[in-house]
Amino acid sequence: MVTLNRIYTRTGDAGTTRLATGAAVSKADMRVEAYGAIDETNACLGLARIHTSEDAQLDAMLARIQNELFDLGADLSTPAAPDEVVGSKLRILDSQVGRLETEIDELNAKLPDLKSFVLPGGTPAAAALHLARTVCRRAEREAVRLVEAGEPVGGPALCYINRLSDFLFVAARWANGCGAAEVFWVSGATR
């Protein structure tokens, strides 16, 4: 359990912060950008949940995912050491990725086939979930930049972020009355 008795510490006033390992880094560090985008995704889900409270199935999924996003933030803020003992740090697990896949399949099975690209919108819940999806995709790009820079990022963490954006797309369709309130892209319609 984390106890926060003091909200401001002034330690970041010079533009630095600390990773979970204690290492001081710039607040613009790629790793901070990655877990910051995860935090933004979580905030978007909080907004979406204002509109999903009547859908017990979807809201429960989103509540669990919000908690897992804190786990993911902890994972990303703790670069793995070469000698890290499995289970010694909070890491995203393959089973969490698998659960997202199962839930995607459950929701998607009840949706009509897509005939065009979906425009973000429809119901307030769907619009908020589409916003969360786009922020999640940015978090994924930030995490990939870390990997490309040679920084350690766990494979399950990358998979989770990728699968989460897929989940959020399907959840947005679900929140649009199982597709009934979807708005579709019409190619060249305004020419």
Side-chain angles (χ1 to χ4, degrees):
M1 182 57 89
V2 176
T3 302
L4 299 172
N5 294 327
R6 188 167 176 197
I7 300 305
Y8 66 91
T9 63
R10 296 185 177 108
T11 58
D13 290 353
T16 61
T17 190
R18 294 197 180 276
L19 299 178
T21 60
V25 296
S26 165
K27 288 186 176 183
D29 183 86
M30 286 189 298
R31 188 168 294 278
V32 177
E33 292 285 352
Y35 68 73
I38 292 300
D39 190 31
E40 289 178 62
T41 302
N42 206 344
C44 289
L45 290 183
L47 178 62
R49 290 190 63 214
I50 291 170
H51 304 290
T52 62
S53 61
E54 299 297 316
D55 185 334
Q57 179 183 8
L58 180 58
D59 196 59
M61 291 174 185
L62 294 174
R64 189 203 72 252
I65 289 167
Q66 280 196 288
N67 196 75
E68 289 178 346
L69 287 177
F70 267 88
D71 293 350
L72 178 58
D75 188 332
L76 291 173
S77 72
T78 312
D83 59 347
E84 182 176 296
V85 176
V86 174
S88 66
K89 303 288 184 205
L90 183 56
R91 300 288 181 207
I92 291 295
L93 304 173
D94 289 327
S95 60
Q96 291 169 296
V97 177
R99 183 172 40 231
L100 279 176
E101 291 173 349
T102 298
E103 290 172 343
I104 290 167
D105 292 343
E106 286 174 13
L107 296 177
N108 200 47
K110 297 173 184 164
L111 298 174
D113 292 342
L114 282 174
K115 307 265 189 273
S116 182
F117 289 105
V118 175
L119 297 177
T123 67
L129 288 165
H130 277 297
L131 177 61
R133 173 186 56 79
T134 64
V135 174
C136 184
R137 283 289 185 207
R138 180 164 41 85
E140 182 180 21
R141 292 189 302 272
E142 298 293 345
V144 168
R145 279 187 194 92
L146 272 176
V147 172
E148 289 176 349
E151 289 287 323
V153 175
L158 278 176
C159 291
Y160 187 92
I161 301 169
N162 185 33
R163 215 65 82 246
L164 178 59
S165 61
D166 296 334
F167 171 88
L168 293 171
F169 176 75
V170 171
R173 294 194 69 214
W174 175 271
N176 261 333
C178 288
E182 286 182 312
V183 180
F184 294 101
W185 172 55
V186 179
S187 176
T190 60
R191 290 179 160 189

